[in-house]
Amino acid sequence: MPDTITPDPQQLRLWLEGAARRDAAAFRALYDATSPKLFGFALRILNKRELAEDVLQESFVAIWNNAGNYQSHLAAPMTWMTTIVRNKAFDLLRRTDHDTEIDGDPFAAEVMAALHDPGATPIEALQLSRDAKALAYCMSALEGLHRQVVGLAFFHDLSHSEVAAQMALPIGTVKTWIRRSLEKLKACLAKGERA
């Protein structure tokens, strides 16, 4: 199992020094050698694969940008990188723990109740058009934070940067979540049309 083997600290130091000089090959080698362990560490903290992937990406951007600041006499390379991942993961947890979800779980619960209520009157059933039902169903299948980002961008007409500011997330994360969510919505809606 290659991901359980700890890379040689001296080799990691050399790759970090290369990354500090903007050597892409050294950075790629560093990434290949350490990303499985760092991803696993992020996943243990966040318990969600997509969040762990985002934190890993942010962490490697930080490692690339701060490789020149690494001081080998203060910490081993893996310890330094693990600390970056841990801090990014905890930052994400802190940001998301205190945010009220717009178009989040209450939205999903109300929509799903309306969709599955056998006792709904004809007027209540007509309140959600066929397209709205399909969209609501597909939106409810998105992860809560992703649904919130899409809701802010499209239902509240906020720009990507405004969504990022409102949710205290990096703009790259917001753009990635919106792109992935739109792909999932498109696939879900297409599947509904075929059914």
Side-chain angles (χ1 to χ4, degrees), residues 82-161:
T82 302
T83 301
I84 291 171
V85 171
R86 182 195 57 148
N87 291 344
K88 295 280 183 193
F90 287 151
D91 286 348
L92 179 63
L93 287 175
R94 276 192 289 275
R95 284 192 308 258
T96 56
D97 276 353
H98 301 294
D99 287 340
T100 303
E101 280 199 54
I102 297 169
D103 301 323
D105 292 335
F107 166 82
E110 289 170 23
V111 168
M112 294 313 289
L115 290 174
H116 298 304
D117 184 9
T121 67
I123 299 287
E124 291 169 335
L126 286 175
Q127 285 178 337
L128 288 174
S129 71
R130 183 171 175 243
D131 290 343
K133 280 184 180 181
L135 179 60
Y137 174 79
C138 292
M139 283 288 291
S140 70
L142 295 176
E143 189 175 317
L145 288 175
H146 294 208
R147 186 172 49 246
Q148 183 178 1
V149 166
V150 170
L152 287 170
F154 293 97
F155 302 128
H156 297 278
D157 202 27
L158 298 181
S159 69
H160 290 166
S161 56

Side-chain angles (χ1 to χ4, degrees), residues 146-189:
H146 294 208
R147 186 172 49 246
Q148 183 178 1
V149 166
V150 170
L152 287 170
F154 293 97
F155 302 128
H156 297 278
D157 202 27
L158 298 181
S159 69
H160 290 166
S161 56
E162 290 170 328
V163 172
Q166 171 127 0
M167 294 189 63
L169 290 169
I171 186 111
T173 299
V174 168
K175 288 180 179 181
T176 299
W177 285 3
I178 288 174
R179 181 180 43 77
R180 288 180 185 167
S181 296
L182 291 177
E183 289 168 357
K184 288 178 182 176
L185 287 173
K186 182 179 177 182
C188 179
L189 291 169

Side-chain angles (χ1 to χ4, degrees), residues 6-26:
T6 303
D8 174 42
Q10 184 57 40
Q11 182 60 60
L12 294 178
R13 278 187 200 93
L14 293 173
W15 286 331
L16 275 172
E17 289 170 8
R21 293 187 310 272
R22 300 299 189 230
D23 178 348

